[in-house]
Amino acid sequence: MEPTTRFFIIDGIRQVTKDYDLVSGDDLVRACRMHKSPAELALMQVANEVTLAALRYAHAHVRPGMRAADIAALVDTATAALGGRPEFSLVLLNEASAYPHGSIQPEVVKDGSTVLLDVGCAVHGYQSDISRTWVFGMPSARQRKVWDTVKRGQEIALETAKLGIPVGDIDKAVRRYYEGEGWGPGYRLPGLSHRTGHGIGLDGHESPYLVLSDTTPLEPGMCFSDEPGLYIPGEFGIRLEDCWHMTETGPTLFTPLATSIDQPI
């Protein structure tokens, strides 16, 4: 059984027959899915382009007083119109952006709001995952500094990606930079409380992972997110995320990195 199989399926098979041993098929499935073919990469390219276009549409239509659900609806509508199947549209406003998956506190857009969108869709089953953060109105010096630091974190992740290195080394390189800037250390807040990235393909999160403990050698055809966010509880968070795949000559992005906090898409 592959590892995301739901328990009721495994339990049901056990109840029907005792003739089979149920064992993990993780190694087999992982080997099949970890390296993407050119056709798979092409589908992921389309999915990421759809998501970026949907984010561009949402960015242009955010207005004061909007709630997270209002902005998510903009993204989902644009995604469907472009031919993608919406998978998730996470919208974090103001202080909620300081927590990677948000909070239950209702928030609305106002002048100076941090607006964080983490969005993905599927094209023939293959996933995208892009995050953009900006400020509605004029960013503060602190917001701008943190945004620029995260952008540099993304760049360091890509610069570190070399064939044959343990994928966890990418996470280590980003954390060294962040710690030098006064964040962390490690996974402590304020700082980067989650891994630098995850594998992606038919699942939004799959092996291997850009996390300290993952020693999988980096090889062509592997696909990852690049999302070294920074989070300041009680204030705001910044997450920038783009997906990329490894080639014989280095990493290739599916979507270009954001330019600046003023031009996030």
Side-chain angles (χ1 to χ4, degrees), residues 53-77:
L55 282 166
R56 186 177 293 113
Y57 175 80
H59 176 258
H61 289 83
V62 172
R63 299 290 183 266
M66 278 187 166
R67 302 164 301 157
D70 300 323
I71 301 172
L74 291 174
V75 175
D76 289 345
T77 299

Side-chain angles (χ1 to χ4, degrees), residues 1-3 23-34 207:
M1 310 297 289
E2 66 93 14
V23 298
S24 173
D26 188 29
D27 289 344
L28 174 61
V29 174
R30 190 169 182 264
C32 292
R33 292 176 57 171
M34 193 161 48
S207 297

Side-chain angles (χ1 to χ4, degrees), residues 10-216:
I10 297 173
D11 189 50
I13 293 173
R14 284 174 174 160
Q15 291 181 37
V16 169
T17 178
K18 304 298 182 184
D19 294 339
Y20 300 100
D21 292 326
L22 299 184
V23 298
S24 173
D26 188 29
D27 289 344
L28 174 61
V29 174
R30 190 169 182 264
C32 292
R33 292 176 57 171
M34 193 161 48
H35 303 88
K36 275 64 177 182
S37 70
E40 291 174 304
L41 293 174
L43 290 172
M44 293 180 69
Q45 182 68 52
V46 174
N48 279 276
E49 289 173 358
V50 166
T51 294
L52 191 63
L55 282 166
R56 186 177 293 113
Y57 175 80
H59 176 258
H61 289 83
V62 172
R63 299 290 183 266
M66 278 187 166
R67 302 164 301 157
D70 300 323
I71 301 172
L74 291 174
V75 175
D76 289 345
T77 299
T79 297
L82 290 162
R85 187 186 71 215
E87 288 289 323
F88 59 92
S89 299
L90 179 66
V91 180
L92 309 180
L93 302 174
N94 306 318
E95 186 191 350
S97 64
Y99 311 102
H101 294 102
S103 74
I104 62 172
Q105 183 67 34
E107 297 280 1
V108 298
V109 176
K110 56 190 177 184
D111 189 53
S113 285
T114 300
V115 182
L116 191 163
L117 273 64
D118 188 341
V119 180
C121 79
V123 172
H124 293 296
Y126 285 84
Q127 307 277 318
S128 63
D129 193 355
I130 302 177
S131 297
R132 289 292 184 266
T133 308
W134 66 88
V135 173
F136 187 82
M138 184 64 67
S140 68
R142 182 164 171 80
Q143 287 170 321
R144 191 177 294 277
K145 169 63 175 173
V146 177
W147 196 101
D148 290 344
T149 302
V150 173
K151 167 73 179 298
R152 182 61 190 140
Q154 276 196 301
E155 294 169 345
I156 288 171
L158 296 170
E159 291 166 6
T160 305
K162 309 292 183 187
L163 287 175
I165 69 164
V167 294
D169 285 3
I170 298 173
D171 191 51
K172 292 176 184 176
V174 173
R175 289 183 197 282
R176 280 195 300 269
Y177 166 64
Y178 280 175
E179 289 172 15
E181 293 289 311
W183 302 99
Y187 293 89
R188 293 181 186 174
L189 293 172
L192 173 56
S193 56
H194 57 72
R195 57 201 169 206
T196 293
H198 54 79
I200 186 168
L202 284 168
D203 281 331
H205 295 78
E206 60 183 43
S207 297
Y209 294 92
L210 306 184
V211 67
L212 294 177
S213 59
D214 198 325
T215 59
T216 306

Side-chain angles (χ1 to χ4, degrees), residues 41 162-163 218-222 244-252:
L41 293 174
K162 309 292 183 187
L163 287 175
L218 184 58
E219 297 175 345
M222 292 181 174
W244 58 280
H245 62 97
M246 194 62 185
T247 74
E248 294 286 356
T249 58
T252 296

